[in-house]
Every structure is written in structure tokens, then in C-alpha cells.
Amino acid sequence: MLILMDGEHTKANLAEVVARVEQLGFKAHVIPGANSTAVGVTGNPGPLDPRVFEVLPGVKQAIPVTKSYKLAGRDFQHGDSAVEIVPGLKVGAGRFVVMAGPCAVESREQTLRIARQVKAGGAHVLRGGAFKPRTSPYAFQGMGEEGLKILAEARAETGLPVVSEALDPESLALVYKYADVIQIGARNMQNFALLKEAGKLDKPVLLKRGLSATVDEWLQSAEYLLSEGNKRVILCERGIRTFSSHTRNTLDLNAVPVAQKLSHLPVLVDPSHGTGLRDKVAPLAKASAAVGAHGVIIEVHDRPAEALCDGPQAMPPAEFAALVEVLKKLGGVLGYTM
Amino acid sequence: MLILMDGEHTKANLAEVVARVEQLGFKAHVIPGANSTAVGVTGNPGPLDPRVFEVLPGVKQAIPVTKSYKLAGRDFQHGDSAVEIVPGLKVGAGRFVVMAGPCAVESREQTLRIARQVKAGGAHVLRGGAFKPRTSPYAFQGMGEEGLKILAEARAETGLPVVSEALDPESLALVYKYADVIQIGARNMQNFALLKEAGKLDKPVLLKRGLSATVDEWLQSAEYLLSEGNKRVILCERGIRTFSSHTRNTLDLNAVPVAQKLSHLPVLVDPSHGTGLRDKVAPLAKASAAVGAHGVIIEVHDRPAEALCDGPQAMPPAEFAALVEVLKKLGGVLGYTM
Amino acid sequence: MLILMDGEHTKANLAEVVARVEQLGFKAHVIPGANSTAVGVTGNPGPLDPRVFEVLPGVKQAIPVTKSYKLAGRDFQHGDSAVEIVPGLKVGAGRFVVMAGPCAVESREQTLRIARQVKAGGAHVLRGGAFKPRTSPYAFQGMGEEGLKILAEARAETGLPVVSEALDPESLALVYKYADVIQIGARNMQNFALLKEAGKLDKPVLLKRGLSATVDEWLQSAEYLLSEGNKRVILCERGIRTFSSHTRNTLDLNAVPVAQKLSHLPVLVDPSHGTGLRDKVAPLAKASAAVGAHGVIIEVHDRPAEALCDGPQAMPPAEFAALVEVLKKLGGVLGYTM
Amino acid sequence: MLILMDGEHTKANLAEVVARVEQLGFKAHVIPGANSTAVGVTGNPGPLDPRVFEVLPGVKQAIPVTKSYKLAGRDFQHGDSAVEIVPGLKVGAGRFVVMAGPCAVESREQTLRIARQVKAGGAHVLRGGAFKPRTSPYAFQGMGEEGLKILAEARAETGLPVVSEALDPESLALVYKYADVIQIGARNMQNFALLKEAGKLDKPVLLKRGLSATVDEWLQSAEYLLSEGNKRVILCERGIRTFSSHTRNTLDLNAVPVAQKLSHLPVLVDPSHGTGLRDKVAPLAKASAAVGAHGVIIEVHDRPAEALCDGPQAMPPAEFAALVEVLKKLGGVLGYTM
């Protein structure tokens, strides 16, 4: 912590700051200056709330120095992490991983059909929601365990591992049972009870960034998973909420290199939710590859007009296959395999 | 739903839109115009996803007309709702209700002491967190059931009903057992599993607005509670996330009259979390009264420097009592009682 | 400037930072710590760009300490400034000042009529736009000098001083000639050429906050005016752009106490542009008074349906007069005169 | 315009809406429905302010149908526009155009040196600021006409056409005199007086998107240029302001395909200002190419530590040349030339 005194502070103010630091059991270092005075704090075992000092008279600002994510950050792990999904398939190890499938499992027939199509189109992982977080209580809420069984059947047929979203302790147990990767959605990024539970499991977690989460908060949510023992965490940027409403969300590709610099965890991008518009998914998927993401997760539906959920952002299978072809070619320039 | 065709649409595009509407079982009304053509949709029982039509060629935009919150909106209930917390204390019935107390229950002694102080200062309800949602896994997470027991003891002594936050099904059952009002926090506003559970209970729910939630989404989350049968829902504005970082959040007082126009539910304001800064709480609390809110919820601590949580935004008891005095006088001008 | 080294910095990194500081002619103070190392910079005559140091290897962050607004800030002027508009009328001296009038001067008849109405309703200053910044080139752009002459005539009749907006050097000269207060609008808050010109004039300037301006940037724009010699600057909060679209802008009342703490300049609020909705203007005007603003500026029109500009946010004269009555009564509680 | 009545409107409300439409000289079409009633408006020559109707009792919402940018939109020009900068160099005609150079002209020597470097590295256009819009009045404001003369000398030597920013009428005349492309910066995107002047000139204009501008507002600003007669307008996305502060701005690549769908004008991207961080420029430049932009504008400096402006976001010449090589290779996959 570095505490900056304001231009009008008195000697008594400074003494109070020093006393407060020492009362907490830490060490205070006064740094005098021509225009300003600061106090450095050392000896604190973890991050401090800057406002503890900012409420003291004469203090202008307090700046945390210690990071609050030790396991997600690069202080203790300098190299990049690769997360194994199933034997032979790692995210973050030089391969651009493509996850694809319908927004929601709607029926056995629909899911098997689309699973075959995305497999043929080049996907590495099958996505599909059995539990759907819906803004309105009157919208389709997913098929539940029945949907997970269908996904497991699709895996058995296609060989594609499955990623699916958990919403609460109950659905978490079921997703853990049937899927290969547990997705924590944007709305639950700070559902800390759910994060703690998922952190105790031995399957990889795909952690989506919240709509209004900073990269720091995202990494602190990852820290919840890591600190419980689950080291297989994959980050996923999926669009943030801004004033800009020409797309459903504002896909923030800046966050990809930023998160990669701060953290060793692999970073995927979800251009389907990030834009919410089918014709914007392919350009942003290519941009995701170019910006250095470790993969994408894409919604595919062969009959989007019939989709019970997010049909308008689903890509037709033929377009998906064509996109994968371009992504492969881009890998030749950008230095990844697929 | 109103569907606007773009300037380049063909007759075939228009026919496809009409066919799609009819295929869904609804009725299409074509409205020709000099500069534009539109298609009105009627007969739909509930709201439609505009993107179902926006992906069709030639369509510029589709605008939902049917509201997706029937119970939270004013279509079926025109007058304002008053929510009874305990016999003799209603929110939304001409009285400006003040909830106050520490951010977190830290000890029996601390909570009883502050409870007496806020009672003396004029509070109607005691607030205090036993389960704390913390961004970092390493921060103080609350005293749990022990904290709730302390709050119940404070109620027994002061007579103040208690509001406390639930985070997951387990803590929800405990908060229901000990508290009078169940708080759903901003981070859980779209934790739909939690909302459904709380909607089945027979105690009032204080539903905070999410950091990046529109008023529409907020009311749809209220709809989750109402549609499960719990009619005692109190809304609470607590600041949104914007580019503006001079306060911790941007308390959005505009949302108060907006929510009151769209919904019959009472609306409180939390200026402590909304600003995150002690010296901004009193001005924004007064502004909350002036803008027409039905009450405020304020963090009070007599030893903020020792607080385990959010000390910097806590108001000292003497300042709180002075604020309540001003709020009472404002009621004489603004037309509420306290 | 305080420079924080990251957890992986080497001794060579630290030496380079120190060398860079010294090369710029300043003094470097190394502050070692258990978890972190920092370097304090002193001797710099003005603010430094933090990125000058942040690009050096091993640097985590650089935090500016010196403020970049000396004249707008409180370092050299501790007491509040009161800005005299005309003899006997000061903003920021214990009086809550109400400016009111039509969005735009549309005709002699309309302006004189409304001027009389707002005078009768209790306004202290007449507002009216002769030069209108419009998003679309096809919208009504204002009556220009003719409009200013009408405003001057309205002043002669009612005795109300006049505030009107300038857009460029040409309109600035005209507004200076006819009006008593020069308004710089939100879209021009960072039109630095215009600010410099206005800073050379001897009439007060009402400086609106930009739609996406931080309070710091707002004060730096005020600094442009002050540093050119114009000391009569009035700040005006008028709503920021956020994801929240239930009002046209998000009126940020938090900014009022924040700006007042950082700056000695008086702060007005414009709830008409801030909300864009007539029925939200009165509640937010009352909230502006309660939060501690020094006044409000309100659009009034007696025939809003005919208004060429922003009719939907204009308040009818009778409602305006009723609002002024409430504002006066609030002054009895809040401690201002009108 | 489509006007949606709310669920509680009366027949009298509906009649008033129809009367208001007819009073304005347009035609009203009532569309009854089971859940809602709407009124279509036709015959209006241009866009209407929705709030004209939204203030009438019983009206829920009014939605504009007519676009307010006729010349910038695709209604009257379906194919893409290519903007010729100098004979042989067009933006938007299958070629990915790279503009590069220092943030500011700091000296003759510096500019000539960097101009040679970016020429060698593969740039098509030289950028450099002679007039700098700076947040603080105490920051370096540019060399003015002297700087433009240096840029002209650099053009004479390297053959690269020059783009430079104009801030006001005076600097516009000078930039017009010396440069090949006139840049209107983000802060001046809604400086309508400046836009009108630039619209009268016969040199291309690079119009940057404002920090908080929607794509619609951006295109309306382009309309100011086009409606004055200047058809050579190039759009440039340069980052928007969001809550996310890990980069200086949030480069919004979503805006590229959105603007391209709505408008025929070519779209460049400025990843230097968009991210503000040198190490993020290359990944975002590659992503700009992948998302389908028509080019990029990049800040290059060989001695960033000495730069008077934005050194921390400047890319070293060697890195720039390497980036151009990658961009060329990406063109082989993405289908553009360089």
C-alpha cells in the first residue's frame, strides 16, 4: 500500500496515518517530497482496502500494491498454463480450440444432429446448455438432467467432450456428473458460493467474464476456484456492457492480451454472446484468433428460426465449417495449430 | 412486436416476415409507408425475442411491445404496493423508512452496541451482514449463523426488525429463520436459482439492483420472486458501474422515479454502497428523499477504522442521527412521515 | 509521481527507473518493501504522464501525485468561489440560483412570453439557445444573432440576466456581445480552442460536463478557462452516458459533492438534459438541491408540443413555478436562500 | 415513426396522438392489437424526435424509422465507397491501408527520421500531429504551422501522403494547405462548426469516433461532412470509454462490421489510441485486419522515452515493420492486398 497525502495535510495528519499503519501491525515509510508526501506500507501479508487510509484526514489516495490473486497471477507461476480437457486435448498449449454447439439442448434429435454437424465442421468440444439462466421467469429454462444425458449421448457418438453450464449447487453436481468442462456463466461470475463448490471438483471450469467485471475481478473469481484446489481454470471473454448498443454486448478483445499478461490461465472468446448477432460472429471469431486468444466458443444451429434460445446469434453449420477453415489458415500465419 | 423493414427490403422479404409471424401462430399487420414499411404482430401471449425477426433479410429492427414483467409492472396493479415488514411498519405507504447498521456482524458486542446507536438515532430497521459476498476469496466472509443469532438478539433488545443478505440456498434458509427481511445483493440479482427459492418464502425480500442491470432487468428479477408467490418485494438502487470512478459506483437516482413509473413496488436507495465514501453518504441520502425514494439503507459504524468490511463508507452514529433529523425535516416539505 | 515495481523486477530494472527519473531532472527515492518496491519522484514542476515510466521493464504502475489543475483545485484557494453574474446575483454564495427558459429561441414572441413566465415563476437567470449543437445536420440549428437580440430584449423587459451557448469563435463573439453568461456545452467541453478564447473574455462561463468526462477532465477544462485569466467559471453537471437507457442520460448527482471537494468553483445541475424526460425533471431538481448543488438550469416551454428542440423535456410554466416553491421551502431545511 | 400506446391508454389518448400526427402534416395509421395498439406515421420527410409523441398521455414509446443519415447510409448508395487519398492510393478498395508516424511532430529531425522508418516499414500514409488537443492546458500543444511544414517536407522526401489533425477553423485552413487528409479527432466528432467547414473542402477527412459516440451519432457526424459536399470521408474507430480501465480506452472492434453494414464509407482502426499501451497495439492491429477493417493508423516512435506526447503507446520502428509483415501475410488468408 502506498498512501499519498494531500497538499493541505498537517504534521498531525501524517502522524495519525503512521500510527494507523503501525496499529495494524505493519511498517510505515514516510517519503517526503517537494510537492507531496507519501507513506509506504510494508509487512502486510495480503492486500489492504485502500479506503482504510483514505478516510483519514489529510490523505489523498491509497494505492494497493499487493495483488489479491496469487494463484491466478504470474507472481508464482511465470509460464502459461495449459488446461487438459480430456487426454490429448489441451487449451493453452499452442492449439486454437474451437467449442461449438447449440445454445440450449432442445431435444435429443436436435442435439445429436448439431453435434454431428459441428464435429464435421471441425469443432473440438461440444457446447450445449441444459440449465439456462434467463432474464425472464417465463422464458425456456432448459431441459435439466435430461439435457445432460443427451449431451453425454452426443459425446459417445461423436467423441467430442462436452461443456455445459451450472447455475447452482444442484445443477453443478449434475453437470459435473455428465460433462467434461463445467461452465460458470457471466451472471454467476461473482456467485461465490458456486465458485467455491466448483473449486472443489476435479473437472476443468470455463469461467466467463461478468458483464461489468474488470479483469481484476475476473481473476479474483478465478482465484476462488484455484484457492479451493481446482487448477484447471479457463477464462472466457464474452462481452461487456457499455453505452454502445449496436451489438448486444461489447466484445472486449482488449481483455485477451491484458488477461494473458496478468495471468497464466488460457483465455477463450465467445463471439456469439459477445455480439449477439449472427453476421458479426465470424468477423469477431477471426479477430479473436488474431488478437491471440487460445480458442473460441461458438453457437451453431441448423434451424435458428426454431431455436428456443438465442437463435438470432446462432451460426448455420455450413458457415461454421467455412469459418473453421479460415481459422486454420490464419493459424499458419499466427503460429497456432488446430 | 413491431417489425420495421429496412429501406432496401424486397416484396419477398416482407412476405417471409409475414409467413414467419403466422407460422408462430400470431397475426401480422402490414403497415405501408412512404419511407418505410412495418409489420405489427398481435396475438402473442407473452414477449417475443426481437432477434427472431431481426435475422430475417430486409428487417431493420423489431421492437417488443408486450412487457415481460406482468406482476412487477403496472398493467395489472395500478396503485402503489406497500410492503409490510412487521406489523406497524410498511415500506411504500407514505413513510420514509430508514434501515441502518454495520456492513457486517463482526461480534456480539459490536452489533449490539451499534444496534442501540442506530435505534437511538432513529432507524426503523437494523441491517447487518452475516454472509458477505467478497470479491477476493481471502477477505472476511462473515460470521454465518452465529452472526444471525447476534442480529436476533439485537432485535430482541431494540425492537428493530432485521434485514440480512442471503447468498445461496443454505444461507437463504438461515436468513429466513432469523431475519425479518431477506436481502438479495447486487451480485445475485440474476442468480435465478436463488430468486426462485426466495420467491417461495413468506418473508419480504429486498432486491438490490445489479451493477450493470437495466431497470427492465431489475423488474424481471423481481418478477421471478413475484411469480413464485412472494408479493412482498422491495427494490433497492445501490449504484451502477460506469466509466466514472470518482465514487465507487455511480448511484443512479434517475432510476427511482423510472422504476416507480414502471412498477408498483416500493424503491429504497443505498447511498453507502452507491458512493462507497462516507462523506458522500449524507448528501446522497438527502437527495434520495428529495427524488421520491421510499427510504434508505445506510451503513453505520462507531469504530470504522476497526470495521472488517467497508469501514470507509460507514457513517458514525452521531452523524447518522443528525442525518435522520434532516430527513425528518425534509419530510415536512416533501410530504412523508418518519 | 510514485512508481510501483512489479513482483518480478530485477535490480537492473530498478536502476533504469532511477536513471530515467534523474535524466528528466527530478529526484528518485527508492522505497524497499517486503512484498514490493516503489520509487517516489520529487522535484517535478507539474504533472507527469505515468506511462513514461509504465513502459519501462519491471514497472507495475505509476501514480501521479501532482494535480493537473492548480487554479481549479483547492491547493491555492481553500474557500469556495462565488461567481458574480450581474451585480447583486452571485452563484455559490449561499443562494440557490435557478436559471430557466426555452431550449431554443424560436421566435421573439415565444421567447418574451416564456421569459415573463419564468420570471413570474421565480427564475433568477433566463436561458435560451441561439446556436444549437445538433446531432443531425438536418435538425433546427438555432436563430443565431437574431436569437441573441431577442434574448437581450427579454432581459431588458424582465430584468433577468441571460445565459446562452457558444459553439465556435464566431458565435462566442456574438454570445459575449449579447449575453451575461457564456455557456460551453457538453459536446464542446474538450474543444480546447473554444475554451482558450472564452478564457480571455470578461464574462462568466457556464462549463457543462461532457457526456463521458471524468470529474478530473472537467476540472482540467475549467483550468483552460482559468489559466487564460477568466476566473468566473461555473461548473454544470448535465448527465453522463452509461449503459442505462431509461433516461436520455444518467444525471450523476454523485459528481456534485465530488467536484465541490476537489474544486472551489460553484456547481449547478441541469436535470432537463440530464434526464431528457419532463416528468423526471422536478424530482431530480429537488434532489440536486438536497445533494448540495448551488443551483439548477431548467428548460421551460409553455407549448412543448410546438417546441423546435427538446420539447419533451421542457417543463410547463405552472409546474416550474410549483417546483420553485418547493425548492424555496427545501432551502429552509437545507440552509440556502433563494 | 411508430408510436406504441401503453396498456392503460384511453380512446381519447389515441385520438390525441392521431390529431398530433395530422397536425404536423403527416398521416397516422392505427394498428389495433390484442395486447397493444400502435400508430404508424408516414409522410414525414425526415426523422422525427420520438419524444414529441412520448410526452402525450397514453404513449409508451415512439420509434424512429427514417434514418437521419441519408448520404452516409446505404439507402442511396448500396456499394462500398473507396476514398482516394492521392492518385493510386484508395482506402476501401480491397487494399489494407497502413498509416503510421509519431503522435506529434516534435522537430524536423525527429519527423524526417520516423517518416523514413515507417516508409521503410511499409506504411502508405504518414501521420503526425501539429495541433494537439490536450486534456491539460499545461501539456505540449503542438508545433502548429511549423509542424505542418515539416510534414510536407517529409512527404516530399518519402513520397508518403500526410494525415494531420485540425482543431478549429484556423488550424483547419492550415492542415488543408499542407496535408493530404484532414483528421477530425474524437473530441471534435461533434464539433459541428468544424465539421461544416471541413465538409466544404476538397480533401479527404478521417473522422474519428467520439469516446462516447454511438455508431448512429458517428454516421450523423459523417453526414455533416457529406451534406456539405465532401464525399471523401473515412471513418476511424479509436476506442470508447467504458468502466473497463485495463486499457486506456476500450477499442470496439464490434463497431467495424456494424458501421460497414450501415454505411458505405470505409472504416479504419486506431489501435494506438484505442488501447494506449504499446504492447497491446500489435495484437489489436492484427485483430482489426481480421475483423474486416480497411486499414489501421498506428503511432510509431523510435525514441518513445523522449516523445512529448503519448510515448507509451508508440511502437518502435522494427516492431512496426514486423507487424506490417504479419498484416501482409494475413491478407493472403483474409483476401486483401497491401
Side-chain angles (χ1 to χ4, degrees), chain C residues 10-27:
Chain C
T10 62
K11 282 188 183 177
N13 295 155
L14 188 60
E16 187 181 351
V17 168
V18 170
R20 185 84 186 91
V21 172
E22 292 172 349
Q23 175 198 342
L24 290 164
F26 313 139
K27 203 167 164 192

Side-chain angles (χ1 to χ4, degrees), chain A residues 49-71:
Chain A
D49 184 342
R51 298 176 301 160
V52 167
F53 303 101
E54 286 173 349
V55 293
L56 298 178
V59 172
K60 186 193 171 189
Q61 197 187 354
I63 301 110
V65 179
T66 311
K67 277 177 199 164
S68 44
Y69 38 91
K70 303 202 167 187
L71 302 173

Side-chain angles (χ1 to χ4, degrees), chain D residues 6-324:
Chain D
D6 65 27
E8 304 166 33
H9 76 273
T10 62
K11 282 188 184 177
N13 295 154
L14 188 61
E16 187 181 351
V17 168
V18 170
R20 184 85 186 90
V21 171
E22 292 172 349
Q23 175 198 343
L24 290 164
F26 312 139
K27 205 167 162 192
H29 308 259
V30 176
I31 316 150
N35 293 303
S36 63
T37 300
V39 180
V41 180
T42 58
N44 49 313
L48 303 171
D49 184 341
R51 297 176 301 159
V52 167
F53 302 101
E54 286 174 349
V55 292
L56 297 179
V59 172
K60 186 194 170 185
Q61 198 185 353
I63 300 110
V65 178
T66 312
K67 277 177 200 164
S68 43
Y69 38 93
K70 303 202 166 185
L71 302 173
R74 287 191 175 276
D75 281 352
F76 300 101
Q77 178 173 340
H78 295 193
D80 291 345
S81 287
V83 172
E84 189 178 68
I85 290 183
V86 289
L89 181 59
K90 285 184 178 175
V91 180
R95 189 169 182 178
F96 190 80
V97 173
V98 177
M99 306 184 175
C103 174
V105 176
E106 298 164 14
S107 72
R108 182 176 172 278
E109 202 279 326
Q110 166 252 19
T111 300
L112 290 178
R113 196 178 68 227
I114 297 176
R116 284 176 213 124
Q117 290 165 334
V118 300
K119 165 78 175 181
H124 305 111
V125 177
L126 176 65
R127 64 146 290 148
F131 300 92
K132 302 301 302 175
R134 302 304 293 271
T135 304
S136 164
Y138 308 122
F140 173 60
Q141 310 266 329
M143 290 183 72
E145 184 169 8
E146 184 58 28
L148 291 169
K149 286 182 184 168
I150 292 170
L151 286 168
E153 187 180 345
R155 173 180 50 205
E157 185 184 320
T158 62
L160 295 178
V162 162
V163 57
S164 198
E165 180 169 357
L167 298 180
D168 52 15
E170 197 183 349
S171 57
L172 178 63
L174 289 168
V175 170
Y176 173 74
K177 181 174 170 191
Y178 292 100
D180 302 283
V181 180
I182 299 155
Q183 180 179 314
I184 305 282
R187 287 180 185 77
N188 282 313
M189 194 203 84
Q190 295 196 315
N191 182 338
F192 303 119
L194 186 64
L195 292 172
K196 283 183 196 171
E197 285 307 305
K200 291 172 188 150
L201 303 178
D202 59 358
K203 287 199 173 173
V205 175
L206 182 77
L207 178 65
K208 291 203 164 183
R209 180 180 176 198
L211 265 79
S212 61
T214 63
V215 173
D216 256 23
E217 290 167 342
W218 193 16
L219 294 179
Q220 288 186 73
S221 287
E223 191 82 5
Y224 265 93
L225 296 163
L226 295 162
S227 65
E228 293 288 341
N230 192 336
K231 303 301 182 200
R232 288 194 284 165
V233 176
I234 304 164
L235 301 170
C236 182
E237 158 65 30
R238 50 80 75 208
I240 56 172
R241 185 156 275 185
T242 71
F243 71 85
S244 191
S245 59
H246 49 258
T247 41
R248 203 184 192 190
N249 298 291
T250 299
L251 191 70
D252 177 14
L253 291 186
N254 310 268
V256 175
V258 169
Q260 288 171 337
K261 187 173 184 183
L262 293 172
S263 173
H264 55 86
L265 299 171
V267 185
L268 295 198
V269 175
D270 176 350
S272 302
H273 285 92
T275 65
L277 295 169
R278 184 189 304 163
D279 62 341
K280 305 296 181 288
V281 174
L284 271 305
K286 289 181 269 180
S288 301
V291 90
H294 298 101
V296 283
I297 178 164
I298 291 178
E299 291 190 3
V300 174
H301 204 296
D302 57 346
R303 299 176 195 170
E306 294 174 14
L308 293 176
C309 157
D310 281 345
Q313 72 198 28
M315 185 177 264
E319 220 179 283
F320 170 71
L323 170 62
V324 170

